[in-house]
């Protein structure tokens, strides 16, 4: 009998695939080693809500990463529609503003109460982890990325959301400013020796957790490994004790 693995709920594996079959194969390969998965635009736009329902049927937790960004009523309505899939975390762009975040989160909670279900966590994307200081300057920005991320995190908390998506390089600042209960989900996490790919503001799993991250989103270092399960277990081992 195979040894039972205790998954670390702080690890979220990104299912960045085009097909349901590819995503299912990775989930089945990882088995009990991973309990949380991220479904982003690439997979969701291809197969829709079927992947979320399938993951929930397998007993997995889901971060549905669609980054909604529109007028308040549209974002709120979109989140209410997505809530029916059963995802545990949904997200919006903090750049949509305080009113958008506040109203959309309130709409989700009101709709969840009407349905008699637990509402999902709602978090906001601050600044994409692929953006470096050069990209930032080309957008006409003059304030450092770190200071803007912190301002957006505080705004997100004031709007009543549960947390943010931010790079591990800003996690310590956000944790100090927003407290222990605020959810900080960090992409841009790469185990030592891994390829950076299209990320700019990165950290290792251990350093991200030590900085205050709540959950780590890791994709290619696991998906592209010759043995994805072994790669996931190595990352979990690195996270142990943090």
């Amino acid at each position: 009998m195979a040894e039972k693995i205790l998954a670390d709920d702080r690890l979220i594996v990104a299912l960045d695939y085009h097909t349901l079959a590819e995503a299912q194969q990775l989930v089945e390969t990882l088995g009990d080693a991973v309990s949380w998965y991220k479904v982003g635009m690439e997979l969701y736009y291809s197969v829709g809500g079927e992947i979320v329902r399938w993951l929930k049927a397998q007993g997995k937790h889901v971060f549905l990463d669609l980054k909604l960004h529109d007028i308040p009523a549209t974002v709120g309505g979109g989140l209410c529609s997505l809530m029916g899939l059963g995802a545990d975390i949904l997200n919006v762009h903090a750049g949509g503003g305080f009113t958008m975040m506040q109203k959309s989160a309130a709409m989700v909670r009101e709709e969840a109460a009407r349905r008699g279900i637990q509402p999902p966590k709602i978090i906001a994307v601050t600044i994409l982890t692929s953006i470096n200081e050069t990209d930032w300057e080309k957008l006409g920005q003059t304030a450092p990325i770190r200071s803007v991320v912190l301002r957006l995190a505080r705004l997100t908390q004031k709007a009543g959301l549960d947390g943010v998506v931010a790079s591990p390089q800003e996690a310590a600042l956000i944790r100090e400013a927003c407290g222990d209960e605020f959810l900080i989900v960090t992409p841009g996490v790469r185990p030592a020796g891994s390829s950076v790919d299209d990320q700019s503001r990165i950290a290792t799993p251990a350093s991200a957790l030590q900085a205050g991250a709540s959950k780590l989103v890791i994709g290619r270092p696991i998906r592209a490994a010759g043995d994805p399960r072994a790669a996931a277990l190595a990352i979990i081992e690195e996270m142990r004790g943090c």
Side-chain angles (χ1 to χ4, degrees):
M1 182 180 294
E3 180 185 358
K4 176 75 173 175
I5 301 297
L6 183 62
D8 191 319
D9 284 347
R10 297 173 298 175
L11 172 62
I12 303 177
V13 173
L15 295 175
D16 294 334
Y17 293 112
H18 289 297
T19 70
L20 183 63
E22 289 174 301
Q24 289 174 328
Q25 182 176 3
L26 181 64
V27 173
E28 290 166 357
T29 297
L30 295 177
D32 57 1
V34 175
S35 58
W36 273 87
Y37 288 92
K38 180 183 81 74
V39 174
M41 296 177 190
E42 181 177 354
L43 184 57
Y44 187 83
Y45 291 163
S46 176
V47 305
E50 183 179 359
I51 180 60
V52 180
R53 296 188 186 96
W54 182 82
L55 286 166
K56 296 302 294 183
Q58 309 310 304
K60 305 300 184 181
H61 298 289
V62 180
F63 168 27
L64 185 54
D65 179 29
L66 299 182
K67 303 179 180 72
L68 276 66
H69 188 169
D70 211 308
I71 62 173
T74 298
V75 170
L79 290 172
C80 288
S81 295
L82 293 171
M83 181 171 58
L85 297 173
D88 301 274
I89 301 176
L90 301 173
N91 66 351
V92 302
H93 260 295
F98 177 81
T99 301
M100 184 205 77
M101 291 192 287
Q102 184 182 54
K103 182 171 183 177
S104 60
M107 287 175 66
V108 167
R109 289 163 187 156
E110 289 168 6
E111 180 61 17
R114 188 186 70 80
R115 298 184 193 183
I117 61 174
Q118 187 72 19
K121 298 290 187 184
I122 308 296
I123 63 177
V125 177
T126 53
I127 305 297
L128 297 174
T129 52
S130 59
I131 293 179
N132 57 32
E133 292 292 349
T134 300
D135 295 328
W136 192 238
E137 291 173 4
K138 288 178 179 178
L139 289 170
Q141 301 291 341
T142 55
I145 290 176
R146 288 165 63 87
S147 65
V148 176
V149 168
L150 181 58
R151 183 165 70 246
L152 290 172
R154 286 173 166 152
L155 188 69
T156 297
Q157 186 174 49
K158 185 177 180 182
L161 274 65
D162 300 290
V164 291
V165 179
S167 97
Q169 294 183 12
E170 294 94 40
L173 290 173
I174 296 169
R175 181 62 66 215
E176 182 179 2
C178 298
D180 293 339
E181 300 303 314
F182 198 62
L183 190 61
I184 305 173
V185 177
T186 57
V189 176
R190 291 289 186 271
S194 294
S195 171
V196 172
D197 301 308
D198 57 359
Q199 300 288 357
S200 292
R201 305 187 332 276
I202 64 172
T204 64
S207 62
L209 291 172
Q210 289 162 358
S214 310
K215 294 185 181 295
L216 314 180
V217 177
I218 303 178
R220 268 170 284 201
I222 293 174
R223 293 194 316 273
D227 185 341
R229 182 177 170 88
L233 291 175
I235 289 169
I236 291 169
E237 182 63 28
E238 184 179 342
M239 294 165 65
R240 189 168 292 163
C242 296

